[in-house]
Amino acid sequence: MPQAIPAAIAAVGSFLSATATVAGISLGVTWGTAIQATLAVASLAQSLGRKPPEQIGAPGRNLTVSLDPNAPRQVVYGRAALAGVRPFADVYASNQKMGLVFALSQGPCVGLHALILDDTTVTLSSGTVTTSPWANKVRLQTENGASDATAFSSLASASSYFDSNMRGRGIAKAFLEVDYDEDMLAGGFPQALFVWDGVKVYDPRKDTTRGGSGAHRFDDPDTWDGDGYDNLALQALHYIRGVYENGQR
């Protein structure tokens, strides 16, 4: 399964508020503060005698989370377990909560299938984990990468480093909030994997302008539905079509 395609290369920095453009991709001036916040999280974890959430600069493979401003934006086809790229982390509420954002795939995607914490598939109720030992202490929000996505409002209201301009439009992502708990974190920060149903695909059979029947339009991913996301032929068509970022293929 491709982790990225040449037509989809985009800096993870575009997740944040943009004031500069490099090769047609908007980069965020707040990226440095996001890195500083993540370093502060690692330092806090070490001072508490615990391992940091993940090693900064670790290889950006599906099952290993990474913090890399130059990482390509991957396109997920079908269903995959992802650790993602983490463009933001912060501690707040007097160091009693930690918030982390994970960039998962080019969107729009079908979305979350399951959340795995430390090799355990957990149950969720309205976004709150109900499986022990994380019950009522870990919360999850996801956004499937729509072009009109808004920022995670609860994180924007809680963190001094995150605001409503950090929308990450076109990027499927997850926000994980973890409460500080001595017993729960005795073995370290939970390792998270997101079982993710990937990018939506265009289906010409559902496009009335191409002889089909339906609202799909080749140049408008927001019209594509979740059906066929695991169809190999439609995935190949999506790969050939490419991904557009700021109007560039």
Side-chain angles (χ1 to χ4, degrees):
M1 182 182 300
Q3 294 216 8
I5 59 177
I9 299 301
V12 174
S14 64
F15 182 85
L16 304 177
S17 54
T19 59
T21 300
V22 178
I25 306 302
S26 297
L27 301 177
V29 296
T30 51
W31 180 247
T33 57
I35 293 177
Q36 291 171 7
T38 301
L39 291 173
V41 170
S43 176
L44 175 65
Q46 290 171 341
S47 69
L48 293 173
R50 286 155 175 68
K51 62 182 179 180
E54 286 89 16
Q55 181 180 356
I56 294 174
R61 303 194 182 279
N62 271 10
L63 302 182
T64 306
V65 74
S66 67
L67 175 66
D68 183 358
N70 298 312
R73 184 184 303 174
Q74 67 180 1
V75 178
V76 175
Y77 291 107
R79 178 174 294 171
L82 308 168
V85 175
R86 190 182 64 227
F88 185 87
D90 190 18
V91 290
Y92 44 86
S94 300
N95 293 337
Q96 295 303 301
K97 296 181 185 295
M98 179 183 293
L100 305 101
V101 175
F102 301 83
L104 301 174
S105 172
Q106 174 72 29
C109 288
V110 177
L112 183 77
H113 176 74
L115 173 64
I116 299 174
L117 296 177
D118 288 344
D119 299 323
T120 298
T121 301
V122 301
T123 57
L124 294 161
S125 176
S126 300
T128 298
V129 173
T130 59
T131 303
S132 179
W134 309 282
N136 301 313
K137 300 171 185 175
V138 177
R139 290 161 293 280
L140 173 70
Q141 296 179 37
T142 61
E143 203 289 316
N144 295 340
S147 61
D148 59 351
T150 58
F152 292 117
S153 58
S154 58
L155 179 58
S157 64
S159 171
S160 300
Y161 297 97
F162 193 92
D163 62 43
S164 59
N165 291 318
M166 298 178 180
R167 297 179 290 265
R169 290 178 172 174
I171 305 175
K173 52 197 174 292
F175 162 46
L176 202 63
E177 184 178 73
V178 180
D179 294 344
Y180 177 78
D181 180 272
E182 185 77 20
D183 296 329
M184 183 183 70
L185 299 177
F189 191 86
Q191 302 298 302
L193 282 178
F194 306 91
V195 182
W196 197 256
D197 290 344
V199 68
K200 296 179 181 180
V201 293
Y202 168 75
D203 188 340
R205 298 169 300 180
K206 295 186 175 184
D207 186 344
T208 55
T209 68
R210 303 294 175 99
S213 176
H216 280 218
R217 295 295 181 266
F218 183 77
D219 59 352
D220 186 0
D222 286 336
T223 65
W224 306 346
D225 57 37
D227 295 339
Y229 80 99
D230 54 353
N231 181 303
L232 290 176
L234 297 180
Q235 291 172 4
L237 177 60
H238 183 278
Y239 183 99
I240 294 168
R241 175 190 181 274
V243 172
Y244 290 81
E245 179 69 23
N246 290 346
Q248 295 193 21
R249 186 176 186 275

